[in-house]
Short mmCIF file of all heavy atoms in Angstrom, two decimals:
data_model
loop_
_atom_site.label_atom_id
_atom_site.label_comp_id
_atom_site.label_asym_id
_atom_site.label_seq_id
_atom_site.Cartn_x
_atom_site.Cartn_y
_atom_site.Cartn_z
N MET A 383 -5.50 -11.06 7.42
CA MET A 383 -5.60 -10.13 6.31
C MET A 383 -4.30 -9.38 6.09
O MET A 383 -3.89 -9.16 4.95
CB MET A 383 -6.76 -9.15 6.54
CG MET A 383 -6.95 -8.16 5.39
SD MET A 383 -7.10 -8.95 3.76
CE MET A 383 -8.74 -9.65 3.86
N ALA A 384 -3.61 -8.98 7.17
CA ALA A 384 -2.31 -8.33 7.00
C ALA A 384 -1.34 -9.26 6.29
O ALA A 384 -0.58 -8.85 5.40
CB ALA A 384 -1.76 -7.90 8.36
N ILE A 385 -1.36 -10.54 6.68
CA ILE A 385 -0.48 -11.52 6.03
C ILE A 385 -0.88 -11.70 4.56
O ILE A 385 -0.02 -11.77 3.68
CB ILE A 385 -0.54 -12.87 6.78
CG1 ILE A 385 0.11 -12.72 8.16
CG2 ILE A 385 0.14 -13.97 5.98
CD1 ILE A 385 -0.10 -13.92 9.07
N SER A 386 -2.18 -11.75 4.29
CA SER A 386 -2.64 -11.91 2.92
C SER A 386 -2.19 -10.75 2.05
O SER A 386 -1.80 -10.95 0.88
CB SER A 386 -4.17 -12.02 2.90
OG SER A 386 -4.66 -12.07 1.58
N ILE A 387 -2.24 -9.55 2.58
CA ILE A 387 -1.76 -8.38 1.84
C ILE A 387 -0.27 -8.51 1.57
O ILE A 387 0.21 -8.29 0.46
CB ILE A 387 -2.09 -7.09 2.61
CG1 ILE A 387 -3.61 -6.85 2.60
CG2 ILE A 387 -1.34 -5.88 2.03
CD1 ILE A 387 -4.08 -5.78 3.56
N ASN A 388 0.49 -8.87 2.60
CA ASN A 388 1.92 -9.06 2.43
C ASN A 388 2.23 -10.10 1.36
O ASN A 388 3.16 -9.95 0.57
CB ASN A 388 2.54 -9.47 3.77
CG ASN A 388 4.01 -9.86 3.64
OD1 ASN A 388 4.34 -11.04 3.49
ND2 ASN A 388 4.88 -8.88 3.70
N GLN A 389 1.44 -11.18 1.33
CA GLN A 389 1.71 -12.32 0.46
C GLN A 389 1.01 -12.22 -0.89
O GLN A 389 0.98 -13.21 -1.64
CB GLN A 389 1.26 -13.60 1.17
CG GLN A 389 2.05 -13.93 2.43
CD GLN A 389 3.45 -14.41 2.13
OE1 GLN A 389 3.65 -15.46 1.52
NE2 GLN A 389 4.45 -13.62 2.53
N ASP A 390 0.49 -11.08 -1.25
CA ASP A 390 -0.22 -10.96 -2.51
C ASP A 390 0.65 -11.44 -3.67
O ASP A 390 1.81 -11.05 -3.81
CB ASP A 390 -0.62 -9.50 -2.75
CG ASP A 390 -1.49 -9.37 -3.98
OD1 ASP A 390 -2.69 -9.66 -3.90
OD2 ASP A 390 -0.95 -8.99 -5.05
N PRO A 391 0.11 -12.31 -4.53
CA PRO A 391 0.94 -12.96 -5.55
C PRO A 391 1.48 -12.02 -6.63
O PRO A 391 2.47 -12.36 -7.28
CB PRO A 391 0.00 -14.01 -6.16
CG PRO A 391 -1.38 -13.57 -5.80
CD PRO A 391 -1.26 -12.87 -4.49
N MET A 392 0.88 -10.84 -6.82
CA MET A 392 1.46 -9.92 -7.80
C MET A 392 2.82 -9.42 -7.33
O MET A 392 3.68 -9.08 -8.15
CB MET A 392 0.53 -8.72 -8.04
CG MET A 392 -0.66 -9.03 -8.89
SD MET A 392 -1.32 -7.57 -9.74
CE MET A 392 -1.59 -6.44 -8.38
N GLY A 393 3.02 -9.33 -6.03
CA GLY A 393 4.34 -9.00 -5.50
C GLY A 393 4.79 -7.58 -5.76
O GLY A 393 5.99 -7.31 -5.82
N ILE A 394 3.86 -6.65 -5.91
CA ILE A 394 4.23 -5.25 -6.17
C ILE A 394 4.42 -4.53 -4.84
O ILE A 394 3.51 -4.50 -4.00
CB ILE A 394 3.16 -4.53 -7.01
CG1 ILE A 394 2.99 -5.24 -8.36
CG2 ILE A 394 3.53 -3.07 -7.22
CD1 ILE A 394 1.84 -4.70 -9.19
N GLN A 395 5.58 -3.96 -4.64
CA GLN A 395 5.86 -3.22 -3.41
C GLN A 395 5.07 -1.91 -3.40
O GLN A 395 4.96 -1.22 -4.42
CB GLN A 395 7.35 -2.93 -3.31
CG GLN A 395 7.77 -2.23 -2.02
CD GLN A 395 9.28 -2.16 -1.88
OE1 GLN A 395 9.99 -3.10 -2.23
NE2 GLN A 395 9.77 -1.06 -1.35
N GLY A 396 4.49 -1.56 -2.24
CA GLY A 396 3.68 -0.36 -2.14
C GLY A 396 4.50 0.90 -1.93
O GLY A 396 5.72 0.86 -1.77
N ARG A 397 3.78 2.03 -1.91
CA ARG A 397 4.45 3.32 -1.83
C ARG A 397 3.71 4.27 -0.89
O ARG A 397 2.53 4.09 -0.59
CB ARG A 397 4.58 3.95 -3.21
CG ARG A 397 3.26 4.31 -3.86
CD ARG A 397 3.47 5.11 -5.16
NE ARG A 397 4.36 4.48 -6.11
CZ ARG A 397 5.55 5.00 -6.45
NH1 ARG A 397 5.98 6.13 -5.92
NH2 ARG A 397 6.30 4.38 -7.34
N ARG A 398 4.42 5.30 -0.46
CA ARG A 398 3.77 6.40 0.27
C ARG A 398 3.19 7.37 -0.76
O ARG A 398 3.88 7.80 -1.68
CB ARG A 398 4.79 7.13 1.15
CG ARG A 398 4.19 8.25 1.98
CD ARG A 398 5.18 8.78 3.01
NE ARG A 398 6.41 9.26 2.37
CZ ARG A 398 7.56 9.47 3.02
NH1 ARG A 398 7.64 9.21 4.32
NH2 ARG A 398 8.62 9.91 2.38
N ILE A 399 1.91 7.72 -0.60
CA ILE A 399 1.26 8.59 -1.57
C ILE A 399 0.88 9.94 -0.98
O ILE A 399 0.56 10.87 -1.73
CB ILE A 399 0.01 7.92 -2.19
CG1 ILE A 399 -1.01 7.54 -1.11
CG2 ILE A 399 0.41 6.71 -3.01
CD1 ILE A 399 -2.34 7.02 -1.67
N VAL A 400 0.89 10.07 0.34
CA VAL A 400 0.56 11.35 1.00
C VAL A 400 1.48 11.52 2.19
O VAL A 400 1.71 10.58 2.96
CB VAL A 400 -0.91 11.38 1.48
CG1 VAL A 400 -1.18 12.65 2.27
CG2 VAL A 400 -1.88 11.27 0.31
N LYS A 401 2.00 12.74 2.34
CA LYS A 401 2.78 13.10 3.52
C LYS A 401 2.34 14.48 3.96
O LYS A 401 2.69 15.49 3.33
CB LYS A 401 4.28 13.07 3.22
CG LYS A 401 5.16 13.29 4.45
CD LYS A 401 6.64 13.17 4.10
CE LYS A 401 7.50 13.32 5.36
NZ LYS A 401 8.96 13.21 5.03
N GLU A 402 1.54 14.54 5.03
CA GLU A 402 0.94 15.78 5.49
C GLU A 402 1.81 16.45 6.57
O GLU A 402 2.48 15.78 7.35
CB GLU A 402 -0.46 15.52 6.07
CG GLU A 402 -1.43 14.84 5.14
CD GLU A 402 -2.07 15.80 4.15
OE1 GLU A 402 -1.60 16.96 4.03
OE2 GLU A 402 -3.04 15.39 3.49
N LYS A 403 1.74 17.79 6.63
CA LYS A 403 2.43 18.53 7.68
C LYS A 403 1.89 18.18 9.06
O LYS A 403 2.57 18.35 10.07
CB LYS A 403 2.31 20.03 7.43
CG LYS A 403 3.08 20.52 6.21
CD LYS A 403 2.94 22.02 6.04
CE LYS A 403 3.72 22.50 4.81
NZ LYS A 403 3.56 23.96 4.61
N SER A 404 0.68 17.69 9.10
CA SER A 404 0.06 17.32 10.38
C SER A 404 0.71 16.09 11.01
O SER A 404 0.45 15.78 12.18
CB SER A 404 -1.43 17.03 10.17
OG SER A 404 -1.61 15.91 9.30
N GLY A 405 1.53 15.37 10.25
CA GLY A 405 2.14 14.15 10.75
C GLY A 405 1.44 12.89 10.28
O GLY A 405 1.81 11.78 10.67
N ILE A 406 0.42 13.06 9.44
CA ILE A 406 -0.28 11.92 8.86
C ILE A 406 0.34 11.56 7.52
O ILE A 406 0.62 12.43 6.70
CB ILE A 406 -1.79 12.23 8.69
CG1 ILE A 406 -2.44 12.47 10.04
CG2 ILE A 406 -2.48 11.08 7.95
CD1 ILE A 406 -2.46 11.28 10.96
N GLU A 407 0.55 10.26 7.31
CA GLU A 407 1.04 9.77 6.03
C GLU A 407 0.11 8.67 5.56
O GLU A 407 -0.47 7.93 6.37
CB GLU A 407 2.47 9.26 6.16
CG GLU A 407 3.45 10.34 6.60
CD GLU A 407 4.88 9.84 6.77
OE1 GLU A 407 5.13 8.66 6.44
OE2 GLU A 407 5.71 10.63 7.24
N VAL A 408 -0.02 8.54 4.24
CA VAL A 408 -0.87 7.51 3.65
C VAL A 408 -0.03 6.67 2.70
O VAL A 408 0.73 7.20 1.88
CB VAL A 408 -2.07 8.12 2.89
CG1 VAL A 408 -2.99 7.01 2.38
CG2 VAL A 408 -2.84 9.09 3.79
N PHE A 409 -0.19 5.35 2.82
CA PHE A 409 0.55 4.40 2.01
C PHE A 409 -0.45 3.54 1.24
O PHE A 409 -1.54 3.24 1.73
CB PHE A 409 1.43 3.52 2.89
CG PHE A 409 2.40 4.29 3.75
CD1 PHE A 409 1.98 4.85 4.96
CD2 PHE A 409 3.71 4.47 3.35
CE1 PHE A 409 2.87 5.57 5.75
CE2 PHE A 409 4.60 5.18 4.13
CZ PHE A 409 4.18 5.74 5.34
N TRP A 410 -0.03 3.12 0.06
CA TRP A 410 -0.93 2.37 -0.83
C TRP A 410 -0.17 1.25 -1.50
O TRP A 410 1.01 1.39 -1.86
CB TRP A 410 -1.48 3.33 -1.89
CG TRP A 410 -2.21 2.67 -3.03
CD1 TRP A 410 -3.51 2.26 -3.05
CD2 TRP A 410 -1.67 2.37 -4.32
NE1 TRP A 410 -3.82 1.72 -4.28
CE2 TRP A 410 -2.70 1.78 -5.07
CE3 TRP A 410 -0.42 2.55 -4.92
CZ2 TRP A 410 -2.54 1.37 -6.39
CZ3 TRP A 410 -0.24 2.13 -6.23
CH2 TRP A 410 -1.29 1.55 -6.95
N ARG A 411 -0.84 0.10 -1.64
CA ARG A 411 -0.26 -1.02 -2.38
C ARG A 411 -1.31 -1.65 -3.27
O ARG A 411 -2.41 -1.99 -2.80
CB ARG A 411 0.29 -2.07 -1.41
CG ARG A 411 0.96 -3.23 -2.14
CD ARG A 411 1.52 -4.29 -1.22
NE ARG A 411 1.98 -5.42 -2.02
CZ ARG A 411 2.37 -6.58 -1.53
NH1 ARG A 411 2.37 -6.79 -0.22
NH2 ARG A 411 2.75 -7.55 -2.34
N PRO A 412 -1.01 -1.84 -4.55
CA PRO A 412 -1.95 -2.54 -5.44
C PRO A 412 -1.90 -4.04 -5.18
O PRO A 412 -0.83 -4.62 -4.96
CB PRO A 412 -1.44 -2.20 -6.84
CG PRO A 412 0.04 -2.01 -6.65
CD PRO A 412 0.21 -1.43 -5.28
N LEU A 413 -3.07 -4.67 -5.24
CA LEU A 413 -3.19 -6.10 -4.96
C LEU A 413 -3.93 -6.81 -6.10
O LEU A 413 -4.50 -6.16 -6.98
CB LEU A 413 -3.93 -6.32 -3.64
CG LEU A 413 -3.34 -5.62 -2.40
CD1 LEU A 413 -4.30 -5.76 -1.22
CD2 LEU A 413 -1.96 -6.18 -2.06
N SER A 414 -3.94 -8.10 -6.03
CA SER A 414 -4.65 -8.90 -7.03
C SER A 414 -6.15 -8.61 -7.00
O SER A 414 -6.70 -8.11 -6.01
CB SER A 414 -4.42 -10.38 -6.77
OG SER A 414 -3.04 -10.69 -6.76
N ASN A 415 -6.82 -8.94 -8.10
CA ASN A 415 -8.29 -8.85 -8.21
C ASN A 415 -8.80 -7.43 -8.03
O ASN A 415 -9.86 -7.19 -7.42
CB ASN A 415 -8.96 -9.78 -7.18
CG ASN A 415 -8.57 -11.22 -7.38
OD1 ASN A 415 -8.54 -11.71 -8.52
ND2 ASN A 415 -8.23 -11.90 -6.30
N ASN A 416 -8.04 -6.45 -8.56
CA ASN A 416 -8.43 -5.04 -8.50
C ASN A 416 -8.56 -4.51 -7.08
O ASN A 416 -9.23 -3.50 -6.85
CB ASN A 416 -9.76 -4.80 -9.24
CG ASN A 416 -9.59 -4.85 -10.75
OD1 ASN A 416 -8.57 -4.39 -11.27
ND2 ASN A 416 -10.56 -5.41 -11.44
N ALA A 417 -7.98 -5.19 -6.13
CA ALA A 417 -7.99 -4.73 -4.75
C ALA A 417 -6.74 -3.90 -4.46
O ALA A 417 -5.84 -3.79 -5.29
CB ALA A 417 -8.08 -5.91 -3.79
N SER A 418 -6.72 -3.30 -3.28
CA SER A 418 -5.56 -2.52 -2.86
C SER A 418 -5.56 -2.46 -1.34
O SER A 418 -6.54 -2.82 -0.68
CB SER A 418 -5.61 -1.11 -3.46
OG SER A 418 -6.80 -0.44 -3.07
#
């Protein structure tokens, strides 16, 4: 599944969407078929 996400045919590079003071960060990438 990690490889499938990397190889998604749309080829859109993901981004960091949250950076908390607690040290937690959240990253998001859009994928084919309305997935992410």
